[in-house]
Amino acid sequence: MKLPIRVSEESREPIYHQIETQVKSLILSGQLSPGTALPSIRALSLDLACSVITTRRAYQNLENDGFIKTVQGKGTFVREIGIIRKEETKHKAVYDAL
Amino acid sequence: MNISVLEIKGLTKHFKRFTLGPLDLQIEKGTAMGLVGANGSGKSTLLRLLMNILQPDGGTIEFLGQRTKENETEFKERVGYAGELLEPFGHVTIKELSSMVSYWYPKWDNHRYEHFLKRYNIDEGAKYGKCSKGTKKKVEFIFSICHDPQLLLLDEPSVGVDISSQRIIKEDLMSFMENGEKSIIMATHAIDEIKSICDIITVLHEGRIIYSVNKDEIYENWARIWVSEVREQIARHPNVLSITGSPLQLVTNNLRAVEEELRKEQISITHIQRLAVEEVLEHYIETNSA
């Protein structure tokens, strides 16, 4: 699957951070529902023309923040985020965006 | 966490007119490294030392924590190499070559081999020596990957290869890397290969590694900044690498630091542009030749 993510040449943010924020907002907005399989680290790197080191870092951070989980040998999936947590993060995402 | 597949320490090889090393280098599982540098900078020599086709004068090479020298058979069964090794066998057909090559690999997968022959449109009955340069490259590539190696060493895999086969090679390299377990070290001059396949760029210059970096760091740190004026403070900043006029612009390898400095000096920035990988590589090679 292909994610509607773009890394911007103009942005001051590091690439891994751009990926992280965009995946988060896709999950929070419900465009990526729980259980959805994410592209492999290699496939996403190819898609964005960035290095696996960068995508791996983004996925690791997303996993630490509880947005996704990696199942050994199966792939990476969107996690079920508690409703309260979702609201919280939504507020924070809006706050960050502003 | 990040396991290194190959670890090179102090690797050295002396020739009459050229010395490679001492080189220290590490490659992680799941990553692809592009070896770049001018002709004669030592890329192929490095790959040949790794394969023990050339014997080093000093240093060590470890593959998954084991010295390759003491475990040569095991190492070679798990590594794939494509780098003009088949030239002496020009008089035999590709079919004969394949039985010679596959003999050495317990894990050789003949279905895979047949699949690749078809995929790259190779006539197995042709004599290797009679094949075009691009076809030879494709055959070498096929031979290097049919035993499902852990590590691929490729010496300019796409030189002379037709455009659609180049795309297919790229696809095959991508599926080779897909599970995140395999690694590639690739000597190349093709900027497109670096951009689409490689994660780490390592620049060799006159036998030494002058630069080895995650390619995204290039994009994040290097930039050309157009400014209203340049003062002493800026001109002497260690991260300002060059300044050229009309319109006034400077090149930096640390955008953040220089931006900060410009702000402090209250110099206005008209425009910022990221440098392309090729510009940065040229810059490196130039400054080191000077």
Side-chain angles (χ1 to χ4, degrees):
Chain A
M1 88 160 261
K2 219 172 169 119
L3 290 179
I5 290 184
R6 282 189 51 202
V7 290
S8 154
E9 294 254 340
E10 300 310 319
S11 172
R12 294 292 151 88
E13 274 178 40
I15 300 172
Y16 75 87
H17 200 253
Q18 293 186 36
I19 298 172
E20 237 180 281
T21 349
Q22 290 180 53
V23 173
K24 274 184 191 172
S25 68
L26 286 172
I27 293 173
L28 292 173
S29 68
Q31 286 185 67
L32 286 177
S33 48
T36 311
L38 293 175
S40 72
I41 288 174
R42 175 56 63 183
L44 184 60
S45 303
L46 178 65
D47 200 22
L48 302 175
C50 65
S51 103
V52 288
I53 300 157
T54 302
T55 5
R56 191 156 61 198
R57 183 163 173 191
Y59 271 26
Q60 259 159 14
N61 290 347
L62 286 165
E63 182 144 15
N64 291 343
D65 291 350
F67 283 88
I68 60 175
K69 65 164 182 260
T70 302
V71 184
Q72 197 64 42
K74 290 210 165 152
T76 307
F77 303 90
V78 176
R79 267 179 72 166
E80 184 83 55
I81 311 170
I83 295 166
I84 301 164
R85 166 119 175 78
K86 204 163 168 174
E87 283 304 315
E88 237 172 59
T89 354
K90 217 182 223 167
H91 287 310
K92 189 172 179 307
V94 172
Y95 181 81
D96 284 350
L98 298 174
Chain B
M1 229 194 66
N2 302 331
I3 308 155
S4 75
V5 172
L6 202 69
E7 199 165 346
I8 300 166
K9 281 187 195 138
L11 191 68
T12 319
K13 175 77 181 171
H14 300 287
F15 297 92
K16 239 183 211 161
R17 306 174 62 93
F18 176 72
T19 297
L20 181 81
L23 302 180
D24 295 305
L25 198 61
Q26 221 176 336
I27 176 147
E28 271 175 34
K29 222 182 213 183
T31 61
M33 175 182 284
L35 278 182
V36 300
N39 304 120
S41 55
K43 304 183 295 294
S44 303
T45 307
L46 171 56
L47 294 181
R48 284 169 188 214
L49 285 169
L50 294 180
M51 286 306 288
N52 208 24
I53 299 165
L54 289 171
Q55 279 74 47
D57 296 323
T60 57
I61 305 164
E62 283 184 5
F63 175 69
L64 297 170
Q66 304 242 319
R67 292 264 187 111
T68 55
K69 211 172 150 192
E70 282 97 57
N71 305 277
E72 197 175 336
T73 316
E74 218 184 308
F75 169 63
K76 287 198 171 166
E77 280 173 7
R78 300 180 68 185
V79 67
Y81 171 75
E84 293 173 15
L85 211 54
L86 303 173
E87 285 308 318
F89 304 100
H91 57 287
V92 298
T93 64
I94 290 163
K95 193 181 172 71
E96 288 165 321
L97 261 181
S98 83
S99 63
M100 286 161 67
V101 173
S102 61
Y103 174 81
W104 296 101
Y105 296 111
K107 281 179 70 191
W108 180 273
D109 180 347
N110 220 50
H111 288 291
R112 205 169 156 153
Y113 171 65
E114 307 261 327
H115 159 80
F116 278 126
L117 281 184
K118 250 187 235 142
R119 187 162 159 81
Y120 288 97
N121 213 357
I122 306 285
D123 170 14
E124 223 192 350
K127 287 227 161 71
Y128 185 71
K130 297 270 188 232
C131 293
S132 71
K133 190 172 179 180
T135 305
K136 283 182 180 169
K137 281 282 177 194
K138 291 190 258 182
V139 171
E140 276 193 319
F141 175 68
I142 295 172
F143 285 165
S144 74
I145 205 169
C146 283
H147 59 291
D148 194 29
Q150 173 81 38
L151 170 69
L152 262 184
L153 305 176
L154 306 172
D155 199 347
E156 300 187 36
S158 66
V159 172
V161 173
D162 63 85
I163 296 169
S164 73
S165 301
Q166 280 188 30
R167 183 183 47 78
I168 300 175
I169 289 183
K170 206 180 288 171
E171 275 175 23
D172 289 340
L173 288 178
M174 282 304 149
S175 51
F176 173 76
M177 301 283 288
E178 174 66 29
N179 69 1
E181 295 290 316
K182 312 293 180 69
S183 309
I184 299 176
I185 301 179
M186 171 163 69
T188 180
H189 296 292
I191 208 76
D192 168 60
E193 261 168 18
I194 297 171
K195 283 184 181 163
S196 60
I197 300 170
C198 300
D199 304 302
I200 306 272
I201 302 176
T202 298
V203 186
L204 272 174
H205 182 69
E206 290 171 0
R208 296 205 166 235
I209 294 170
I210 55 171
Y211 193 49
S212 189
V213 71
N214 170 358
K215 79 173 162 194
D216 295 341
E217 278 173 34
I218 289 187
Y219 158 87
E220 276 163 15
N221 295 324
W222 287 72
R224 177 171 279 119
I225 311 175
W226 282 263
V227 288
S228 55
E229 60 174 316
V230 172
R231 289 191 208 118
E232 180 87 24
Q233 196 71 11
I234 299 296
R236 275 193 310 186
H237 195 283
N239 295 115
V240 172
L241 305 177
S242 74
I243 300 172
T244 45
S246 63
L248 199 55
Q249 55 196 267
L250 51 88
V251 169
T252 176
N253 59 0
N254 189 338
L255 176 60
R256 240 159 241 237
V258 170
E259 253 186 311
E260 179 81 4
E261 193 64 32
L262 288 168
R263 201 169 302 126
K264 242 192 263 164
E265 294 282 313
Q266 297 190 318
I267 296 174
S268 65
I269 297 170
T270 11
H271 187 62
I272 295 176
Q273 196 182 59
R274 309 285 176 159
L275 287 197
V277 172
E278 51 267 47
E279 284 180 276
V280 174
L281 294 180
E282 261 172 49
H283 187 93
Y284 259 97
I285 291 163
E286 261 168 40
T287 31
N288 278 277
S289 318

